Amino acid sequence: MAGYEMIATETQGRVAVVRLNRPKALNALCDQLMGELGQALRGFDEDSNVAAIVITGSEKAFAAGADIKEMQGRTYPAVYLDDFIGKRWEAVTQVQKPVIAAVAGYALGGGCELAMMCDIIIAGDNARFGQPEINLGIIPGAGGTQRLTRAVGKSKAMDMVLTGRMMDAQEAERANLVSRVVPAGEVVAEAVKMGEAIAALSAPAVATAKEAVNRAFETTLAEGVKFERRVFHALFATEDQKEGMSAFAEKRKPAFRNR
């Protein structure tokens, strides 16, 4: 994949790495960048050689927010008719494969929202998360009031959204916003290592597990458990289930064939 101006892509084994690349703007999320990101994610999602995707920025900033200069002159009819945010940003949530955010430095506003759209967040020890939109006379518009509340609870979400304060990596881990904290210089390597571990597993089981966990955020407990039970049952129709359980019984490593 080539020809991108605001992102850089590479593959490490079966893990794709997408790096936001607007260093002078601290990776501010403009329309072009988000369009390129969506294109890259869709391409990697369709690539059978890729099992997991990492999104990252620089050590200074994952993304310091949406591009305010690009937004400031827009009107209500323009943002509504263009489906601003919905059209370009939601691609992250439509990827079937696991998406891991490797966050170092600032993840503010749209940057925090982008990280929360991913399936897992690994934070560098210098990471800073926040939703400072209130300081601009607006509110988060890419899921910040919704995903942050589901992750950290009402009181802490209100604290951050209403005051615009930043949360450091250690607080983010305590609040369950991130899965783990590692040294900033190792955040991408740790995310790739996680992706490699996922790549060694059964792709149908991984995709089903991701869908089931997401269902917990989107439905009631009763409906979520019912969904989980049905897809759990369905996995008994796969060769990988037979191989995985046979390997366990025979005390050997399974050789999954993704079918």
Side-chain angles (χ1 to χ4, degrees):
M1 294 183 183
Y4 297 124
E5 295 181 4
M6 296 189 176
I7 64 171
T9 65
E10 63 174 309
T11 54
Q12 298 184 28
R14 297 194 63 208
V15 181
V17 179
V18 181
R19 188 179 296 275
L20 310 181
N21 190 30
R22 289 188 74 198
K24 292 182 179 179
L26 294 179
N27 295 329
L29 304 174
C30 62
D31 285 352
Q32 181 181 341
L33 186 154
M34 296 308 293
E36 291 182 6
L37 176 61
Q39 183 181 343
L41 290 173
R42 285 187 288 270
F44 285 130
D45 204 29
E46 295 170 3
D47 187 343
S48 60
N49 295 313
V50 170
I53 303 167
V54 172
I55 300 177
T56 192
S58 66
E59 276 198 41
K60 186 174 183 180
F62 175 75
D67 192 322
I68 306 303
K69 292 180 181 179
E70 187 179 70
M71 284 194 294
Q72 68 181 95
R74 289 178 171 169
T75 63
Y76 170 70
V79 294
Y80 180 70
L81 294 175
D82 184 51
D83 190 21
F84 175 53
I85 292 180
K87 180 186 291 185
R88 299 176 185 87
W89 290 57
E90 293 294 328
V92 186
T93 67
Q94 296 160 2
V95 173
Q96 185 180 55
K97 293 169 183 174
V99 182
I100 305 163
V103 177
Y106 296 110
L108 304 177
C112 186
E113 290 169 309
L114 174 60
M116 291 190 293
M117 289 181 190
C118 297
D119 300 307
I120 302 167
I121 304 175
I122 298 179
D125 54 13
N126 69 337
R128 297 291 183 273
F129 299 88
Q131 300 291 162
E133 289 89 347
I134 201 77
N135 295 318
L136 303 176
I138 57 171
I139 68 169
T145 63
Q146 305 302 301
R147 292 188 178 96
L148 185 64
T149 304
R150 283 164 170 77
V152 306
K154 177 182 175 181
S155 184
K156 194 172 288 286
M158 284 286 193
D159 174 8
M160 295 177 69
V161 171
L162 296 185
T163 71
R165 81 170 180 87
M166 289 187 284
M167 177 190 292
D168 65 22
Q170 291 70 32
E171 182 182 359
E173 185 178 33
R174 291 195 305 270
N176 294 322
L177 180 60
V178 307
S179 68
R180 64 183 75 167
V181 178
V182 301
E186 299 173 15
V187 67
V188 175
E190 285 296 315
V192 170
K193 187 185 298 183
M194 179 183 288
E196 289 173 342
I198 292 169
L201 303 172
S202 165
V206 168
T208 302
K210 169 174 170 169
E211 190 175 8
V213 172
N214 280 330
R215 189 60 63 101
F217 277 72
E218 296 156 4
T219 63
T220 64
L221 176 60
E223 287 301 312
V225 170
K226 186 183 296 183
F227 177 82
E228 177 193 75
R229 193 70 37 76
R230 291 295 175 261
V231 293
F232 168 76
H233 290 161
L235 287 171
F236 279 77
T238 66
E239 292 181 17
D240 284 348
Q241 174 267 331
K242 304 295 185 290
E243 167 61 14
M245 292 192 176
S246 295
F248 178 83
E250 296 164 12
K251 298 182 179 179
R252 61 175 174 84
K253 187 175 181 180
F256 294 119
R257 302 176 68 180
N258 298 329
R259 58 192 191 192

